[in-house]
Amino acid sequence: MSAQKDCEFLVKKARELVSVDSCAAKAWLITARTLYPTDFNIQYEMYTIERNAERTAPAGRLLYDMFINFPDQPIVWREIGVITAALRSDSQDKHAQFLRGLFETLPGRVQCEMLLKATEQCFNTLEKAEMLLLLLKRFPESVVQHGLSLGETLLDAEASENVDTPVNCFRKLFVCDVLPLIINNMDIRLPASLMQKYILKAAEFYIGYVTRGPSADGQLQGSQDSGNLKSPSMSRGSQRYVIDGLSEKSSLVADPWERLLELLAVVGVRCEWQGDKGQRSFVDMLQRMKELCRYLPGLDGETRSRYCSQVVICGALTLFRSAFLYVSAVQPALFQGHGASSGPWILVEDLSSVYSDVDLDKGPVKHAQKKRKQADGREKTMSSDDEEGLGKGRGRHILVSKTEMPNWSETLEGFRAARESWDLLHSHDALEAEFKKICASWKTDSWLWFRIFLTDMIVFQGQYRKALSSLHQMSAVQQHQPGQQSPSGQGSLEHHRVLIQQASCHYALGEYRIFMVFDWIWMQTSTVPQEPVFFFSLLPGNDLRLLPCTNKAVLPFCFQLMLACFKLRAFADNRDDLSLGHVVVLLQYDWPQGEMLFLKSVDKIYHQGSFQYENFFNYVTNIDMLEEFAYLRTPEGGRIQLELLPNQGMLIKHHTVTRGITKGVKEDFRLAMERQVSRCGENLLSVLHRFCINEKIIIIQSLP
């Protein structure tokens, strides 16, 4: 019998005994290895028995022997591949844990050599990178030799794969795993330009990860928890988000903004940035950048270049973080993890002063006595805040309802910090040029969320013509991002949000092209929602208001916007009964805020001696207004000729009207007024909504 056949016989005999008597099987194999110590099949069979029995220490010793004595055997590398796959895996099953334990029994130098050789046998870039990453994390001393090359390999792979987003498997491994190892190893000498390149790569990834939109839902596995990201600093770990090519666990990034800040602090120290001893927060960093900017004009050469790089990088990251903080509060549905039911908010002109813009001192007020009788203390309609807001030369200040907007302070701080960061980056030509390079590289023009911030910032600055241009760009970005539109109609809501803001900008420019508000009104139902109105507003007088896209919030703004436009024609020297009638209808909203302006309307009618508005009984249901018009027909009121009757017939209901309207007036007017009193309980927003829908054409024709 030849030696080969002897070995085969011994192995076969051991296999037959494994299931019956494992000790006997092991005895046969020990004898076989003693007789034939160089036979691979005998040692592999011994390893197989220990591995299948999941005896960690014996299996580890046998694997070590095979790795040392038979390094060229394909079966050995197949086993090593299974073990390293378990090391990279998130699996917690019993066999995977056994394989990890088996690897831990090997001597450190063998583990290092095994991982290195396993890496060389990988042909897939991602698998090779993960294998080498295992080596770097287990043996930090290898970072100097392999860290930088691994980072560049990942960046090259990303470029060659032509991925369309920075949130990809290659960038994630580079930013979250490799880069911290590289920049924290002081034995690796990196030029400042390379570290700045790396920190920008990291920033682009983290910003892309945090601001990923609902279009990423296709990568979600299973159900999501209803995340409520109150701030950018909160972890999104509760969301089951999977980056293509990575496992679910590897795809998670906890506290992305804090991670970015930590990287930035290390880069600042290594690049010898001025006064950078590790930033405590983005707010502290912004203040420091403001201080550095004061020294820029007096610097030149390398020092100026280093200062510019520091200000641009830190300022840009503060800008994007703060802008996200603001937009995630006013447009939460743009970002993954926020409920689509939370609609967008609109920054528009504050029109609360539309009711107080009236001067009654130009002539006698016929109804002053009656006004005092019916007002019952309502004559003063302006709050103390309104009076303060009438002062001239005031900056724009934001008032917030703390109870209705719990995160108001964080939201306003984000808006302020983002605006200041933007101004800082545009305060010097050199800073602006470098910042534009970053924006071009990151393609920020395609970031809808950032375009929303820029638009609101421009509106806040009062650059309405530029804001209109920005809104058009926003519409173009929305058209190229169909994934942003949710099944619940969020995309349509975004479209109408833009229309409302356009109308507000046109009004602020003195261009009364507000017809686009009817697109909003047309899409709404006449049912008035009962949800509370959340808003923060700027003080009146060239100020702003931020409204949620709900009927209850936006419809009143549309009414105020139309009222502000019709006032111009209603109270002009030329008589315009149609515009004046529209004013009366719209003044019913938020009564008695518009009482003073209504009294001015009545006074104008009194001096005209007549008034014609055939839609009066269709849409005027306010009891105080009805009494005023009834009074105008009486001898005490001046016997004013009023043509208010509608063309269609009306159901007659007899009610008593105050102030003796049943005496000395025409019977049809009296009956119409009685019928109108019976409608005073109708839902006012429904009445005004119906007015806007039914009279859309004539309203648009009446605009200045």
Side-chain angles (χ1 to χ4, degrees):
M1 184 181 292
S2 65
Q4 180 65 29
K5 290 184 178 180
D6 288 344
C7 290
E8 292 176 357
F9 170 77
L10 293 172
V11 169
K12 181 180 178 182
K13 189 67 177 178
R15 286 176 182 170
E16 293 173 350
L17 291 171
V18 166
S19 58
V20 179
D21 187 349
S22 61
C23 292
K26 291 171 65 175
W28 275 89
L29 290 173
I30 291 172
T31 302
R33 187 171 66 169
T34 303
L35 295 172
Y36 305 102
T38 60
D39 189 272
F40 171 74
N41 291 328
I42 294 174
Q43 296 211 32
Y44 179 70
E45 192 65 30
M46 295 178 70
Y47 166 76
T48 301
I49 292 175
E50 301 297 341
R51 182 198 63 191
N52 292 343
E54 293 191 347
R55 288 188 281 267
T56 306
R61 286 193 298 269
L62 290 166
L63 179 65
Y64 170 73
D65 289 342
M66 288 192 298
F67 178 74
I68 296 298
N69 298 319
F70 307 100
D72 298 326
Q73 283 289 340
I75 297 179
V76 172
W77 287 108
R78 186 182 65 193
E79 288 297 320
I80 292 174
V82 172
I83 294 171
T84 54
L87 292 174
R88 302 195 312 272
S89 169
D90 301 330
S91 175
Q92 297 300 318
D93 65 62
K94 185 178 178 181
H95 186 63
Q97 292 178 355
F98 160 73
L99 292 175
R100 296 187 195 111
L102 188 155
F103 185 79
E104 296 296 340
T105 65
L106 301 175
R109 63 176 184 83
V110 175
Q111 290 182 3
C112 182
E113 186 179 355
M114 188 177 289
L115 289 174
L116 267 177
K117 290 187 176 180
T119 300
E120 295 172 359
Q121 306 229 354
C122 293
F123 297 100
N124 179 279
T125 302
L126 188 60
E127 183 181 350
K128 186 174 184 178
E130 289 179 332
M131 193 78 72
L132 197 53
L133 191 57
L134 275 176
L135 173 69
L136 300 185
K137 289 182 177 180
R138 287 177 172 272
F139 304 98
E141 64 274 12
S142 64
V143 173
V144 176
Q145 181 179 357
H146 303 287
L148 199 58
S149 61
L150 174 58
E152 290 297 329
T153 297
L154 287 169
L155 293 179
D156 290 342
E158 179 187 43
S160 63
E161 292 289 336
N162 294 319
V163 290
D164 57 357
T165 171
V167 186
N168 59 74
C169 56
F170 304 110
R171 185 78 69 92
K172 195 274 177 185
L173 289 179
F174 172 75
V175 170
C176 299
D177 299 302
V178 179
L179 185 57
L181 296 175
I182 295 175
I183 65 171
N184 283 294
N185 193 315
M186 297 304 167
D187 292 331
I188 301 178
R189 297 191 176 276
L190 299 171
S193 59
L194 188 60
M195 284 189 287
Q196 290 167 14
K197 168 190 171 182
Y198 285 168
I199 192 63
L200 290 177
K201 289 287 186 182
E204 185 184 15
F205 169 80
Y206 282 127
I207 292 172
Y209 181 85
V210 171
T211 62
R212 64 192 188 277
S215 58
D217 288 347
Q219 295 174 313
L220 297 180
Q221 306 295 321
S223 61
Q224 292 187 38
D225 296 330
S226 57
N228 185 15
L229 190 65
K230 293 293 185 184
S231 76
S233 63
M234 292 184 64
S235 169
R236 288 175 176 258
S238 62
Q239 300 171 31
R240 303 184 63 187
Y241 175 71
V242 180
I243 298 174
D244 187 28
L246 298 180
S247 66
E248 180 180 328
K249 182 179 179 180
S250 299
S251 299
L252 294 179
V253 180
D255 303 319
W257 293 112
E258 280 70 15
R259 287 191 175 197
L260 179 57
L261 198 61
E262 291 171 2
L263 287 176
L264 192 63
V266 177
V267 169
V269 171
R270 297 198 60 167
C271 290
E272 299 181 350
W273 282 351
Q274 187 66 26
D276 196 298
K277 303 301 180 184
Q279 305 293 345
R280 294 189 301 273
S281 69
F282 284 95
V283 175
D284 295 337
M285 190 160 61
L286 176 60
Q287 295 304 317
R288 181 58 183 156
M289 294 309 101
K290 289 180 181 179
E291 296 172 7
L292 290 181
C293 268
R294 294 202 296 264
Y295 300 104
L296 277 180
L299 300 176
D300 54 19
E302 184 179 345
T303 303
R304 179 182 175 86
S305 176
R306 186 170 65 251
Y307 271 54
C308 282
S309 297
Q310 180 178 357
V311 172
V312 169
I313 293 175
C314 295
L317 300 193
T318 304
L319 166 64
F320 292 122
R321 185 258 183 184
S322 302
F324 168 74
L325 180 61
Y326 169 72
V327 178
S328 65
V330 301
Q331 296 275 74
L334 288 178
F335 306 106
Q336 183 186 327
H338 294 274
S341 60
S342 181
W345 296 30
I346 322 169
L347 190 65
V348 294
E349 290 297 296
D350 177 69
L351 301 175
S352 58
S353 61
V354 70
Y355 301 118
S356 59
D357 184 17
V358 58
D359 182 3
L360 296 178
D361 297 330
K362 293 184 178 180
V365 182
K366 180 68 175 179
H367 294 262
Q369 182 179 7
K370 179 177 185 303
K371 175 195 70 177
R372 289 194 297 272
K373 288 181 180 178
Q374 73 158 8
D376 297 327
R378 294 176 298 167
E379 180 177 355
K380 178 175 175 57
T381 60
M382 289 169 31
S383 68
S384 59
D385 286 338
D386 292 329
E387 290 177 329
E388 179 185 353
L390 296 178
K392 302 297 182 181
R394 212 175 25 84
R396 290 186 162 184
H397 304 290
I398 298 178
L399 298 179
V400 186
S401 172
K402 299 180 181 180
T403 57
E404 294 178 338
M405 191 176 192
N407 62 333
W408 63 273
S409 179
E410 198 174 28
T411 301
L412 298 186
E413 173 62 22
F415 192 43
R416 181 198 62 79
R419 295 196 318 268
E420 292 182 3
S421 301
W422 177 271
D423 293 340
L424 184 72
L425 292 167
H426 292 77
S427 60
H428 296 276
D429 291 342
L431 299 180
E432 184 175 358
E434 290 301 314
F435 175 63
K436 286 183 176 179
K437 290 180 182 178
I438 294 176
C439 291
S441 174
W442 292 357
K443 300 178 181 178
T444 59
D445 286 345
S446 65
W447 294 359
L448 176 60
W449 68 271
F450 190 58
R451 174 56 55 187
I452 289 170
F453 159 72
L454 290 179
T455 302
D456 284 1
M457 179 186 70
I458 296 167
V459 169
F460 184 87
Q461 294 169 343
Q463 303 180 52
Y464 299 105
R465 188 72 63 192
K466 189 176 179 181
L468 286 171
S469 175
S470 184
L471 285 167
H472 286 302
Q473 293 182 49
M474 188 188 304
S475 298
V477 172
Q478 285 177 320
Q479 291 174 2
H480 289 87
Q481 293 184 343
Q484 297 284 7
Q485 301 181 11
S486 69
S488 62
Q490 186 69 26
S492 177
L493 206 56
E494 291 286 347
H495 171 68
H496 287 88
R497 173 198 175 278
V498 170
L499 293 178
I500 293 295
Q501 202 164 30
Q502 285 177 339
S504 177
C505 291
H506 279 301
Y507 171 77
L509 288 168
E511 302 170 350
Y512 304 108
R513 298 160 53 188
I514 65 166
F515 52 84
M516 59 276 293
V517 301
F518 290 97
D519 286 332
W520 169 278
I521 296 172
W522 184 262
M523 82 167 186
Q524 308 304 319
T525 65
S526 59
T527 303
V528 181
Q530 298 303 313
E531 69 270 16
V533 180
F534 300 107
F535 70 93
F536 65 74
S537 64
L538 296 161
L539 292 172
N542 193 31
D543 292 323
L544 303 174
R545 182 181 297 268
L546 191 60
L547 302 173
C549 277
T550 62
N551 273 5
K552 195 171 183 180
V554 177
L555 284 179
F557 170 76
C558 295
F559 301 151
Q560 292 177 344
L561 191 58
M562 287 188 286
L563 176 60
C565 294
F566 287 131
K567 276 173 37 179
L568 300 174
R569 298 184 66 166
F571 298 109
D573 293 335
N574 297 330
R575 176 170 173 171
D576 190 336
D577 284 5
L578 186 59
S579 295
L580 191 59
H582 294 337
V583 167
V584 171
V585 172
L586 293 168
L587 282 174
Q588 294 177 102
Y589 172 73
D590 206 18
W591 185 265
Q593 286 290 322
E595 185 176 7
M596 298 295 287
L597 193 58
F598 171 70
L599 291 173
K600 182 176 181 180
S601 304
V602 173
D603 191 61
K604 182 176 177 63
I605 293 172
Y606 172 80
H607 284 92
Q608 289 180 177
S610 64
F611 177 65
Q612 179 181 5
Y613 188 67
E614 295 183 354
N615 274 320
F616 181 89
F617 287 112
N618 287 336
Y619 306 114
V620 178
T621 61
N622 182 287
I623 186 63
D624 293 334
M625 291 184 174
L626 294 176
E627 286 192 359
E628 287 289 349
F629 276 90
Y631 183 68
L632 285 172
R633 291 293 300 266
T634 65
E636 297 84 356
R639 296 185 183 277
I640 305 302
Q641 181 181 353
L642 300 176
E643 299 181 23
L644 308 178
L645 293 175
N647 294 326
Q648 72 275 16
M650 298 178 62
L651 181 63
I652 299 177
K653 294 182 181 178
H654 293 281
H655 292 277
T656 301
V657 180
T658 59
R659 303 199 179 279
I661 190 174
T662 58
K663 300 178 182 179
V665 297
K666 292 183 179 180
E667 183 67 13
D668 53 355
F669 183 85
R670 181 185 69 80
L671 294 176
M673 191 62 74
E674 287 183 353
R675 290 192 297 268
Q676 201 66 8
V677 169
S678 69
R679 297 181 56 201
C680 290
E682 289 188 20
N683 185 300
L684 181 58
L685 281 183
S686 296
V687 172
L688 295 179
H689 178 266
R690 193 163 58 247
F691 165 71
C692 295
I693 296 299
N694 296 342
E695 312 303 329
K696 174 181 177 180
I697 296 177
I698 196 170
I699 290 174
I700 293 177
Q701 292 174 346
S702 304
L703 290 172

